[in-house]
Amino acid sequence: MPDQLFIANAVLSLASGLVALLVSYTAFKHNRLVESGILRFVSFGFMLLGMGLLLQGSLITLLALDVGRIADRAALVYVASLIYLVLQLVAYSAFAVGYARGAYGRKALAFLSVVVVSKSELLLGTYVNAVTQLGSVMLLGFVVFQGILVYTRTRNRVSLLVLMGFALILVAHSLTMLASVLVSGLLYLAAGSVQFAGFLALLLFLIRSGHIGSATEEQK
Amino acid sequence: MAQPQKNRSRIRIYADILASIETEGNAKLTRVLYRANLSYDRLVRYLDELVERKLIQEVRSDDNRYYVITEGGKEFLREVAKAESFLSGFGLSL
């Protein structure tokens, strides 16, 4: 992949990471007021996702600019990538557990924890990236399904924006898997762009719900 | 994250009382009682808590006792509105 594509992807990852941290902070702030267990999962999940995206963005930037000849340090790059992938997987697990608790109560947790543990064991294998992407797609699929249920019940714009955010991130992970299979740099950039669009939807959600800028109709 | 309908949370009750006082301006106890849909004992307890938290002010004149919302109370209502909007994005409510 040419350096420009690397840099473009890094910028998208860094921007997405900042939005994720903003959502995490907002959920944390509201959790102090309403003390909801589910909000704790949302805050924790977005915090991990934000940290992971910032790590990924920084790593891609360092690789593209070859700062300190980092490209030669394969072990360091591998460990950083692994940390990012695990953070991502744990973050999506947190969202899935949060949604499962809200929708089905604690019974659903047993099933989800088995899925997560089995995926973690597979991390030690060779196909780390493919397995974590597949795990992310499965967990996000569940989250998007719950998001659809929430939207069909509430029919409000803020839940639609959250649904769009998660759905676009799901599409981005599917594209990343495809990019790995086809070894396509352009497809990889497309995945980064779609993921960024997902985080833009989440940013719009924060704006519409009055957390950034002036009050909106949802508040009235 | 769909949630079954449950009893009003403490925050929800605080918000309902504050909103009724804000709407009334100088709110008499009976008006708040009617709007907040609470028993007398519970309402008095919640009003004491809100006064303690400086979200409302108790004003006595002659034989009358009424309540007014403070700036802190208005700010609290704004925060609750934002929290409600954020929560609804995930299918949650207060």
Side-chain angles (χ1 to χ4, degrees), chain A residues 54-135:
Chain A
L54 290 182
L55 178 68
Q56 188 202 30
S58 308
L59 184 65
I60 297 172
T61 307
L62 291 175
L63 280 170
L65 302 176
D66 199 17
V67 177
R69 301 184 66 80
I70 192 173
D72 295 339
R73 298 176 191 178
L76 181 68
V77 173
Y78 179 78
V79 170
S81 305
L82 193 63
I83 291 171
Y84 160 66
L85 292 170
V86 171
L87 281 175
Q88 208 174 39
L89 200 59
V90 176
Y92 296 142
S93 303
F95 296 141
V97 168
Y99 269 100
R101 278 184 64 160
Y104 309 115
R106 290 177 184 274
K107 284 177 191 168
L109 294 184
F111 169 72
L112 276 173
S113 60
V114 168
V115 173
V116 172
V117 168
S118 62
K119 292 288 168 284
S120 303
E121 285 167 354
L122 286 170
L123 285 175
L124 300 171
T126 316
Y127 303 105
V128 176
N129 188 47
V131 167
T132 49
Q133 291 294 347
L134 190 63

Side-chain angles (χ1 to χ4, degrees), chain A residues 99-182:
Chain A
Y99 269 100
R101 278 184 64 160
Y104 309 115
R106 290 177 184 274
K107 284 177 191 168
L109 294 184
F111 169 72
L112 276 173
S113 60
V114 168
V115 173
V116 172
V117 168
S118 62
K119 292 288 168 284
S120 303
E121 285 167 354
L122 286 170
L123 285 175
L124 300 171
T126 316
Y127 303 105
V128 176
N129 188 47
V131 167
T132 49
Q133 291 294 347
L134 190 63
S136 296
V137 167
M138 283 170 61
L139 290 166
L140 276 170
F142 175 77
V143 169
V144 168
F145 174 69
Q146 290 299 321
I148 292 169
L149 293 183
V150 166
Y151 176 66
T152 50
R153 186 167 53 84
T154 60
R155 291 272 171 196
N156 65 28
R157 280 183 202 167
V158 286
S159 61
L160 178 63
L161 286 168
V162 172
L163 169 61
M164 278 172 62
F166 281 124
L168 286 167
I169 295 169
L170 171 63
V171 172
H173 278 285
S174 307
L175 285 175
T176 305
M177 281 176 72
L178 198 62
S180 303
V181 173
L182 301 175

Side-chain angles (χ1 to χ4, degrees), chain A residues 16-28 46 50 202-203 206 211-212, chain B residues 86:
Chain A
S16 301
L18 289 177
V19 175
L21 289 180
L22 196 59
V23 177
S24 170
Y25 170 73
T26 309
F28 172 77
F46 275 108
L202 291 171
L203 184 65
L206 289 182
H211 295 92
I212 302 169
Chain B
F86 185 85

Side-chain angles (χ1 to χ4, degrees), chain A residues 26-27 30 33-34 38-39 98-99 102 150 153 156 158-159 162 205 209-211 218-219, chain B residues 1-4 11 76 78-92 94:
Chain A
T26 309
H30 290 318
L33 181 71
V34 300
I38 298 167
L39 270 191
Y99 269 100
V150 166
R153 186 167 53 84
N156 65 28
V158 286
S159 61
V162 172
F205 156 65
S209 57
H211 295 92
E218 271 88 6
Q219 277 181 263
Chain B
M1 298 184 197
Q3 277 195 322
I11 298 294
F76 180 86
R78 282 193 288 271
E79 284 303 312
V80 168
K82 283 183 184 179
E84 272 192 308
S85 185
F86 185 85
L87 288 168
S88 72
F90 297 93
L92 300 169
L94 280 177

